[in-house]
Amino acid sequence: MTITMGRPGVDGLGDVVRVLGEWQHDTGPVQLHPGDVGWFWRFGAERTAQATRTWSRAGEVLAIGLLDGADLLRVAFAPEALRDEELARQVVEDASAPERGVLPEGRTYVEAPTGALVRELLPGHGWAVGEPWTPLRRDLGAPVPEAGVRVEAIGPEQAPEWAAVMRASFDGSTFTEERWQAMAAGTPYADARCLLARNEQGEAVAVVTVWSAGEGRPGLIEPMGVHRAHRGNGYGRAVTAAGARTLRDSGASSVLVCCQSANVGAVATYRSAGLERLPERRDLYRDAS
């Protein structure tokens, strides 16, 4: 049976999130998580649907892609389909041909999980190895120590404050209260939490969002940020630990995060919060015209 690529539409996003959650396992590779879709949802349900692709056989979804920006395709696979040759070849062909409506012309990127056959096939279609990324994981079987600072789960009333810390954490960030509201209205946020850390003076100093994939499955941290005026005080470590505790309380088996290896500060912060560094993986890129 042939592989078909589809777009779920707004009404189909719930099924995409559910399937992605079912694919998350501690014994499998780190890959696209429901929380990645949830974080993208800050742009609204319509744009999230437009950025989502599925690859199916006989009505069964075997791969899900998220266009995380116009030039980056992040793709996840059903565990049993990680080495499916027909599926891998179809994903490669669709990603390599701009007319198929996945990636545009020009320099583009694909991020796929370690061990996926698609990673081995892309170089044969003009793709090259790109930048290294560092996945990190912490097992949540054991209790997580207290954060050591005041951390609260926020609601709509604190959204402006949370958004302000986000903007002050990332250069060029345009995050707003409206985007928080859009994110919080998304299907993945039903089991997510946004946390806000405060210093002894009560000032908001760091934020994190934690996303569940269901009980007994890995949870995701995305994003985590520390206000630029309050860096160097351990708030990143503290809010990450608070996120891990929140996920453990919700039944998550582990906490995951993945960041560019070049962002040594972020890697160091996550490691200080007890996350273990996993083997690097690299994205793949293609200069096409």
Side-chain angles (χ1 to χ4, degrees):
M1 297 183 182
T2 59
I3 301 293
T4 57
M5 184 183 71
R7 305 187 185 200
V10 172
D11 292 342
L13 285 176
D15 285 336
V16 167
V17 171
R18 175 185 56 79
V19 169
L20 269 179
E22 293 173 353
W23 292 351
Q24 309 300 314
H25 295 282
D26 287 310
T27 57
V30 177
Q31 58 177 356
L32 187 70
H33 189 278
D36 293 307
V37 179
W39 175 234
F40 190 93
W41 214 298
R42 68 194 186 277
F43 299 117
E46 187 63 40
R47 276 189 61 181
T48 304
Q50 292 173 358
T52 304
R53 303 289 184 273
T54 60
W55 285 268
S56 307
R57 181 191 290 126
E60 179 185 5
V61 176
L62 298 175
I64 294 171
L66 177 68
L67 290 165
D68 200 354
D71 60 353
L72 169 62
L73 174 68
R74 304 178 64 189
V75 60
F77 295 87
E80 69 277 9
L82 203 63
R83 306 289 300 175
D84 186 306
E85 184 172 355
E86 181 186 26
L87 172 64
R89 292 193 180 280
Q90 189 64 55
V91 172
V92 168
E93 291 173 7
D94 290 337
S96 301
E99 65 273 13
R100 301 205 179 172
V102 179
L103 289 167
E105 296 182 353
R107 191 178 181 96
T108 52
Y109 303 82
V110 169
E111 179 187 310
T114 301
L117 181 59
V118 71
R119 297 183 59 85
E120 299 168 23
L121 299 181
L122 282 166
H125 287 71
W127 295 77
V129 174
E131 296 297 320
W133 290 74
T134 297
L136 300 103
R137 171 186 281 137
R138 176 174 182 152
D139 181 80
L140 295 178
V144 180
E146 292 283 353
V149 298
R150 176 184 164 192
V151 179
E152 60 195 61
I154 73 152
E157 298 81 8
Q158 296 83 28
E161 197 172 17
W162 198 94
V165 176
M166 270 294 298
R167 290 194 300 274
S169 299
F170 299 95
D171 293 339
S173 173
T174 58
F175 194 84
T176 61
E177 176 189 358
E178 289 73 25
R179 286 190 174 172
W180 188 92
Q181 299 286 357
M183 177 183 71
T187 301
Y189 197 78
D191 298 314
R193 295 290 183 275
C194 279
L195 306 181
L196 177 70
R198 298 185 185 277
N199 62 13
E200 293 181 353
Q201 291 73 42
E203 299 171 303
V205 295
V207 295
V208 70
T209 305
V210 295
W211 305 89
S212 172
E215 188 171 354
R217 298 191 177 111
L220 177 73
I221 288 176
E222 174 65 21
M224 184 277 290
V226 179
H227 195 297
R228 62 175 61 91
H230 298 281
R231 291 174 182 162
N233 296 295
Y235 296 131
R237 177 181 67 252
V239 80
T240 298
R245 284 176 61 88
T246 300
L247 284 170
R248 187 175 190 272
D249 291 345
S250 73
S253 57
S254 63
V255 55
L256 298 172
V257 69
C258 190
C259 56
Q260 286 184 305
S261 299
N263 191 347
V264 294
V267 173
T269 295
Y270 291 127
R271 293 189 67 188
S272 73
L275 278 72
E276 297 182 2
R277 189 171 186 162
L278 302 178
E280 280 186 337
R281 73 175 183 215
R282 291 177 177 265
D283 59 19
L284 293 105
Y285 72 93
R286 181 170 184 257
D287 290 314
S289 57

